[in-house]
Amino acid sequence: MYRSSFFSFVFFFDFRGKQTKRQNSELEIEKMNENSLDEEGAMDLLNQLEAILESDPLIDEVGFIHPSQFVMLSKECCESSDSSEDGAFRPRDTKFWNRDHKLGISTEVLLPLCKAAKSAFMDVMKQYKTHSSLSDNKHEDENIMFGSLSCLSFESEVMKHSRALLLLSCDFGTAWNSRKLVVSKKQQMSMFMDELLLSALVLSYSPKSEQAWSHRRWIIKMIAGKYSTLQDIIANESELVEKIAERSKMNYRAWNHRCWLVSYMTRGQMLHEIKKSRDWAGLHVADNSCFHYRRRLMLGILENSFCKQEGDNSSYDVENYQVVKEELDLNEVLIKRYIGREALWLHRRYLSLCLIRHLTTMHGTCCHSEQKTSMDNEINKFLDNESCLLNSCSTIQDMEFEDFKAQAMYSAIYFLWLIKETSKGALPCFPAPKRSEMP
């Protein structure tokens, strides 16, 4: 059974020059093919690739495979081709492999294939621009129908060649911009969805492609305010980032895209995302990007409640407090479980600051003595808990391990910061730790 991460189990060739054990042999193969494949042969390969993409529009993963492994895949493909009726493109003599909506391209044809795709795209793009400028200057009725048909033909060619080129060179900005030009003229939901599928396909082999992530944001901006499916698309985007983050660690561009999505989320979606990303954050404490995303969600939730000017906001205040409190409890558990993680202590600063400001605001707006007493109890409870955390984390249990020293240092820095923050507002000043308690 072939899963979405199939190509992670075969040799993956990074076309941008990533060092591998077979780098020398691959460079030799490329030089040989550059000399052996003529322009006609390269265009034939491009036609094969574009035919595969047309025949299987549901391809969701692409990988570049070394010839030695490509032979094994081709043999397996040929053995099962007689019994398979899924309609996949699987000629016996080819440099491509397509099965179960996965596309493999042999590394020995990457260079000539990329050159052919670039040449075809640049030629058709030049013709398209020339025809567009001529069509704008024509006003005779008999030329309108002919001009529109020719324009549609050129647009189709631009989209076809740019798609093949982007799968081979994902950061080719001109190709992305050409697709924006055509899509913006059409303003069709089907084309918007096709662009999301193409960029997801590019991200399957280049998860840190800034051009692909930027293109997705452009598409979402085009959809926003025009179609009712925006919230479903936002939910799918969030799931896509999480899947990519599992395969590509410390992927700042992916998490930055997810943070950007928050501005299009409803309050209910933000609360759901807070709960859904809780387990992921607990399993990836070294990835500060996830905690940054959770902070962005919390900020969005707080801003959303502030914007609600009509009616009683007391329910939002309680819900906001509960969100911050639960995040603080989770953070404390992770700090004690994973010793010496600076990202967790930095995240706690933000959470404590949110709680301090919330308690300060609520304490200042309380009119009844019972409410003020309740707020005072919450304040004292928070400060007592932080004091206990300081005592437990400032003890260096083993001098041989740097993690315990780092834990003591981060806890001391955090509590010095906390003393400074509590002295600014209406909260009672946090008691400075005794000299014997300092690490």
Side-chain angles (χ1 to χ4, degrees):
M1 188 67 181
Y2 294 88
R3 300 180 296 178
S4 61
S5 58
F6 171 80
F7 288 108
S8 62
F9 295 98
V10 299
F11 176 81
F12 187 89
F13 177 83
D14 190 346
F15 189 58
R16 295 169 295 176
K18 185 177 180 181
Q19 295 294 329
T20 63
K21 294 181 180 179
R22 297 183 178 138
Q23 183 181 26
N24 294 333
S25 60
E26 288 168 0
L27 291 174
E28 293 175 359
I29 291 174
E30 290 177 1
K31 291 179 180 179
M32 291 171 59
N33 284 283
E34 185 177 4
N35 297 326
S36 60
L37 274 175
D38 55 10
E39 184 176 350
E40 183 178 352
M43 288 304 298
D44 182 61
L45 288 174
L46 178 61
N47 292 332
Q48 289 186 46
L49 174 60
E50 292 175 343
I52 294 174
L53 296 174
E54 289 291 337
S55 64
D56 189 2
L58 298 180
I59 294 176
D60 57 10
E61 188 174 3
V62 61
F64 305 121
I65 309 173
H66 191 268
S68 62
Q69 293 175 320
F70 193 88
V71 171
M72 293 186 293
L73 289 175
S74 298
K75 287 182 179 179
E76 181 183 349
C77 178
C78 292
E79 291 174 358
S80 60
S81 60
D82 296 333
S83 60
S84 177
E85 298 180 356
D86 58 2
F89 185 91
R90 289 192 292 267
R92 292 177 180 273
D93 185 18
T94 184
K95 301 301 181 183
F96 307 100
W97 184 92
N98 176 220
R99 184 178 181 183
D100 296 335
H101 308 306
K102 315 298 176 190
L103 173 62
I105 304 176
S106 176
T107 57
E108 64 179 345
V109 297
L110 278 179
L111 187 58
L113 186 60
C114 186
K115 288 184 176 181
K118 180 180 177 181
S119 176
F121 166 75
M122 297 303 291
D123 288 343
V124 73
M125 192 62 191
K126 183 178 180 180
Q127 296 176 27
Y128 175 61
K129 288 182 178 180
T130 302
H131 182 271
S132 297
S133 61
L134 291 175
S135 298
D136 294 339
N137 296 328
K138 286 183 178 180
H139 300 286
E140 298 180 3
D141 294 338
E142 62 270 15
N143 292 324
I144 293 178
M145 182 62 69
F146 174 76
S148 61
L149 292 175
S150 300
C151 187
L152 290 174
S153 176
F154 280 120
E155 287 175 349
S156 177
E157 290 295 302
V158 167
M159 298 297 279
K160 181 177 69 173
H161 292 315
S162 63
R163 177 175 57 182
L165 177 58
L166 289 172
L167 292 183
L168 301 168
S169 180
C170 63
D171 291 327
F172 201 100
T174 304
W176 287 113
N177 291 334
S178 69
R179 300 185 71 86
K180 288 185 177 72
L181 179 63
V182 176
V183 171
S184 61
K185 289 183 178 180
K186 299 297 182 180
Q187 294 289 326
Q188 297 176 359
M189 187 60 184
S190 60
M191 296 192 73
F192 291 145
M193 298 306 296
D194 288 341
E195 293 305 293
L196 292 177
L197 289 175
L198 173 62
S199 56
L201 184 57
V202 170
L203 292 170
S204 69
Y205 81 90
S206 182
K208 296 184 179 181
S209 172
E210 181 60 33
Q211 292 281 356
W213 288 115
S214 177
H215 193 68
R216 296 186 77 85
R217 288 192 287 273
W218 182 83
I219 292 296
I220 292 174
K221 287 180 181 179
M222 297 293 289
I223 295 174
K226 300 177 183 178
Y227 300 94
S228 59
T229 57
L230 176 63
Q231 300 308 321
D232 294 334
I233 292 175
I234 296 299
N236 293 335
E237 286 292 292
S238 182
E239 292 179 2
L240 174 67
V241 172
E242 188 166 324
K243 291 178 181 178
I244 290 178
E246 283 289 347
R247 304 197 306 265
S248 175
K249 304 302 181 184
M250 306 296 182
N251 193 334
Y252 169 78
R253 290 177 176 84
W255 284 103
N256 182 59
H257 179 75
R258 201 176 188 183
C259 290
W260 178 85
L261 295 172
V262 175
S263 60
Y264 290 92
M265 292 182 183
T266 63
R267 181 180 177 86
Q269 282 183 312
M270 288 186 283
L271 291 171
H272 176 70
E273 287 291 316
I274 281 281
K275 295 179 181 178
K276 190 175 72 171
S277 60
R278 179 186 177 99
D279 293 338
W280 203 96
L283 295 174
H284 303 81
V285 294
D287 196 339
N288 188 50
S289 295
C290 182
F291 292 105
H292 179 69
Y293 172 61
R294 292 176 67 80
R295 290 194 290 271
R296 182 66 186 87
L297 286 170
M298 295 178 65
L299 181 61
I301 293 171
L302 296 175
E303 289 177 346
N304 177 269
S305 62
F306 292 150
C307 293
K308 302 290 184 179
Q309 298 296 333
E310 299 179 0
D312 184 14
N313 293 336
S314 58
S315 60
Y316 284 131
D317 291 335
V318 174
E319 192 174 36
N320 293 343
Y321 175 75
Q322 190 64 29
V323 168
V324 177
K325 189 66 172 62
E326 289 178 356
E327 188 71 6
L328 270 169
D329 293 340
L330 171 64
N331 179 261
E332 182 174 347
V333 171
L334 296 178
I335 283 177
K336 293 179 179 179
R337 182 183 300 169
Y338 301 100
I339 308 299
R341 300 286 181 165
E342 185 179 13
L344 295 175
W345 287 104
L346 293 176
H347 187 54
R348 192 168 189 83
R349 286 194 190 189
Y350 174 82
L351 300 176
S352 298
L353 188 59
C354 288
L355 190 64
I356 289 172
R357 291 181 176 177
H358 175 80
L359 294 176
T360 301
T361 303
M362 294 300 295
H363 189 276
T365 57
C366 289
C367 299
H368 302 288
S369 59
E370 294 181 357
Q371 292 178 339
K372 288 190 175 183
T373 302
S374 177
M375 285 295 101
D376 290 337
N377 291 335
E378 289 294 330
I379 293 171
N380 292 329
K381 184 179 179 181
F382 166 71
L383 296 178
D384 290 342
N385 182 77
E386 300 304 284
S387 179
C388 293
L389 182 62
L390 170 62
N391 292 332
S392 63
C393 294
S394 60
T395 303
I396 302 178
Q397 301 179 10
D398 195 331
M399 295 295 294
E400 294 183 1
F401 293 95
E402 295 294 331
D403 290 342
F404 288 106
K405 296 180 181 179
Q407 181 84 324
M409 181 182 67
Y410 295 145
S411 64
I413 295 173
Y414 165 73
F415 282 98
L416 290 174
W417 169 86
L418 187 60
I419 293 171
K420 180 181 178 180
E421 288 298 322
T422 54
S423 64
K424 292 179 181 179
L427 291 181
C429 291
F430 188 79
K434 299 178 182 179
R435 186 177 298 273
S436 59
E437 295 176 343
M438 294 297 289

